[in-house]
Amino acid sequence: MADFDATDGGLTNFGGQISGGLARSNGISWPDLLAQDSRPAPAMLTEESYQYRGSDPIAASRYTSEDFARAEREKMWPHVWQFAARDEDIPEPGDYTVFEMAGRSWLISRQEDGSVKAMHNVCLHRGRKLRDHDGTADTFTCPFHGFSWNKDGSFVGMPCAWDFKHLTKDKMTLPQAEVGRWGGYIFLREEAGGPSLEEYLAPIPEFFKRWRHEECTTVIWVAKEVPANWKVTAEAFMEAWHTIVTHPQLLPFTGDANSAYWTWGDNVNVNLVPFGIMSPHIDPDGKTQQWIVDEFVKYNGRSGDNYEASDPFAVTVPEGLTAREALGAAMRAGYTAQTGYDHDHATDAELLDGLVYNVFPNFAPWGGFMPNIVYRWRPGKTPDTCLMEVRILARVKKGEPIPRGVPMKLLGNDQKWTDAPEIGVLGHVFEQDMENLPYVQQGLHASKTGEVNLGDYQEIRIRQFHQTLDKYLSGELGAKA
């Protein structure tokens, strides 16, 4: 493939430097594309929020070093709001889920008044985990010696209490984490203090008012261990421009190099990926709007058939309309019929595009009105592994109660993402990513320079992520007063 200027959406650009992160693909810009949408787009999708954050390389050891992973466990994870569960995971009083994260084990338990408690899942006698699976219980009794706690973490008692006069009830309450709830999501923070959940997530709560994740339930949930660091794996989903080499089947309907990349503060960023248009890397000669739709139906990861519904993407483009307009119109009608909610105000972007938000450090909910993808990445037992989770949320039909979410399907190490047929062609896309990630991890270990270089614009989310992480490791954020 011939080299040509990257500002044209091409492969290389070794001259004509534009400093300060100002260079952009010559493909249609995100704001210009939204100006063509069939409905006015809200300001949150049109007002750019980009900040140049420097061009220095970052150290490869951040992904490979056990010392660095230990620093994350000690200085970062205890101080951040962590996405721990969804409301539909534990809908009834007594329901609980076991949440394992960065060396900690938690019981997330629904209380009688509907509130949620998060407590350490460790017996205060000899240290056995109280539970190793999800379930329903009003008390948690240790299977080793019978020490027992109520579902709110208060101590019930133990056999042979005569031998433990030194253990008073107030000393035996299970250690608690702070709990925050927003949009159907349940978060915990191990160490008290710092910004409220709403402050930490800002501006996502304001943005997602349109998309109402609290009216959704988990219809698909698949997880798999990945032989790569959790940051390596998360960063593979923070930019779209790897599509040209890793996911070439998506180029006919994906604006990869003309995606938008915005950041807010320390914690929140977004990649706005337009669908229903050709990549700037595609030669448009002879390509029709119907061809874009036909390729979209074959290879997109969000077709209705993945969610046990008829496929609303399979449309014929009327003369005079673009593929985006035709797909948007079909989605608008289809989602209104499926959910009972009027979608007439929804932009084409909100119905079609990949509005991929990230919250530091490892929570990534997609925006928009369609079934929404939610990613989470959890560090493994060593810096060289992690657990990647993919949830699909679907809106519950208007007037109907929110059903219990499906349990997580954990794929074995010998299984592929394609062994989870419920995620449809997403499984093939994830497998293409998996063909890179183990070799990224191996390459970081083998690096001669010990450095990783980032693009100024298309990888700005990765740079913001590492700058925020540095603030925790240095004590600027998270440290106790």
Side-chain angles (χ1 to χ4, degrees), residues 399-463:
E400 295 184 359
I402 296 177
R404 185 182 292 270
V406 301
M408 186 180 78
K409 174 191 284 189
L410 178 61
L411 297 172
N413 289 339
D414 59 343
Q415 290 183 290
K416 297 179 179 293
W417 287 98
T418 49
D419 290 321
E422 58 267 43
I423 61 175
V425 297
L426 276 176
H428 296 280
V429 175
F430 294 152
E431 278 305 307
Q432 289 174 318
D433 290 309
M434 296 305 112
E435 291 173 4
N436 291 324
L437 297 180
Y439 298 104
V440 173
Q441 191 67 23
Q442 293 173 30
L444 291 165
H445 276 284
S447 173
K448 172 69 173 177
T449 66
E451 294 180 346
V452 172
N453 291 288
L454 301 174
D456 289 341
Y457 182 66
Q458 293 179 105
E459 291 167 335
I460 192 64
R461 304 169 80 201
I462 299 173
R463 191 170 294 281

Side-chain angles (χ1 to χ4, degrees), residues 222-226 386-388 410-413 415-417:
V222 181
K224 179 172 171 51
E225 184 178 282
V226 179
C386 73
L387 185 73
M388 175 174 167
L410 178 61
L411 297 172
N413 289 339
Q415 290 183 290
K416 297 179 179 293
W417 287 98

